[in-house]
Amino acid sequence: SSVSFTMAAEVERNSSVNLDKDFISAYIKNLDIYPRFFPNIESVTKLNETESEWLYKVEAPLATPYNLTFVLENKSNSADTLLFVSKDKIKDYLYCRGILTQVSEYKTRISFVFKISMTREKASDIHFLAGILGEKFLSDKMKDKLEGDLETFISKATKDMYLASRTSGK
């Protein structure tokens, strides 16, 4: 078996939005919002009814940023669940889940989970210092960055949702 090097992070964030669950569901299932509001998601291209290609810019310390491409499958099975999962679960993996819970007539709780991992044959394929810094250190840095990015996304998307709800009359 070959030795490999993996960086991985998982973050969860909960937020409450004072809007109807159906409006929020339609909003977060719109793929256009992710490159607009999620830092370093450069583009999302719909490939067919269930698959989309996500271009994510990785910014590692002391290295030139590089792009990862994920092909995600939409596995959302209900109006109150958003679920995108990488088709490739070995090399570069991205998982995005949002669960909506109606708290009151115009208040909805959103629980987001994002997971990302990169696995390479050699540590240096990820970063020239990866072997020295180690999987845990780099994974912790990746998690810190992803937590900040998810906070930014929730904040910006929530503001945009409120604006969109006012212009749509919802």
Side-chain angles (χ1 to χ4, degrees):
S1 71
S2 66
V3 176
S4 65
F5 188 93
T6 299
M7 282 176 42
E10 177 177 340
V11 296
E12 182 171 349
R13 283 286 176 274
N14 297 303
S15 181
S16 289
V17 180
N18 295 321
L19 292 169
D20 176 70
K21 183 176 73 159
D22 295 336
F23 181 85
I24 296 169
S25 176
Y27 183 89
I28 67 170
K29 289 182 181 182
N30 174 359
L31 298 179
D32 295 339
I33 68 168
Y34 295 91
R36 282 178 53 208
F37 302 124
F38 204 104
N40 298 319
I41 292 181
E42 298 291 306
S43 66
V44 177
T45 306
K46 192 169 182 163
L47 301 175
N48 55 44
E49 285 306 306
T50 59
E51 295 175 357
S52 52
E53 182 179 87
W54 297 52
L55 186 64
Y56 187 79
K57 183 169 66 178
V58 175
E59 294 177 343
L62 308 173
T64 305
Y66 58 94
N67 290 328
L68 290 179
T69 302
F70 299 94
V71 175
L72 300 185
E73 196 170 357
N74 183 346
K75 298 199 173 227
S76 306
N77 58 2
S78 69
D80 56 3
T81 301
L82 165 89
L83 183 58
F84 294 113
V85 181
S86 280
K87 289 187 77 171
D88 173 8
K89 296 179 179 28
I90 310 296
K91 189 177 175 189
D92 297 321
Y93 177 74
L94 184 64
Y95 172 98
C96 170
R97 185 188 76 205
I99 295 177
L100 303 174
T101 307
Q102 192 84 44
V103 178
S104 63
E105 187 179 357
Y106 288 105
K107 187 170 191 165
T108 303
R109 186 170 160 269
I110 308 171
S111 175
F112 276 112
V113 173
F114 270 76
K115 298 178 192 177
I116 188 169
S117 69
M118 297 166 45
T119 300
R120 298 294 184 273
E121 197 174 304
K122 300 184 309 260
S124 60
D125 291 341
I126 288 181
H127 189 284
F128 73 100
L129 292 175
I132 296 165
L133 298 172
E135 287 178 327
K136 181 179 181 343
F137 176 82
L138 290 172
S139 293
D140 288 348
K141 291 290 178 203
M142 181 186 253
K143 182 176 181 173
D144 290 346
K145 171 121 179 55
L146 193 56
E147 283 176 337
D149 289 352
L150 186 53
E151 285 290 333
T152 298
F153 171 74
I154 289 170
S155 173
K156 289 181 174 182
T158 299
K159 286 177 190 161
D160 189 63
M161 249 187 278
Y162 287 132
L163 287 171
S165 73
R166 285 201 291 273
T167 59
S168 74
K170 288 267 177 193

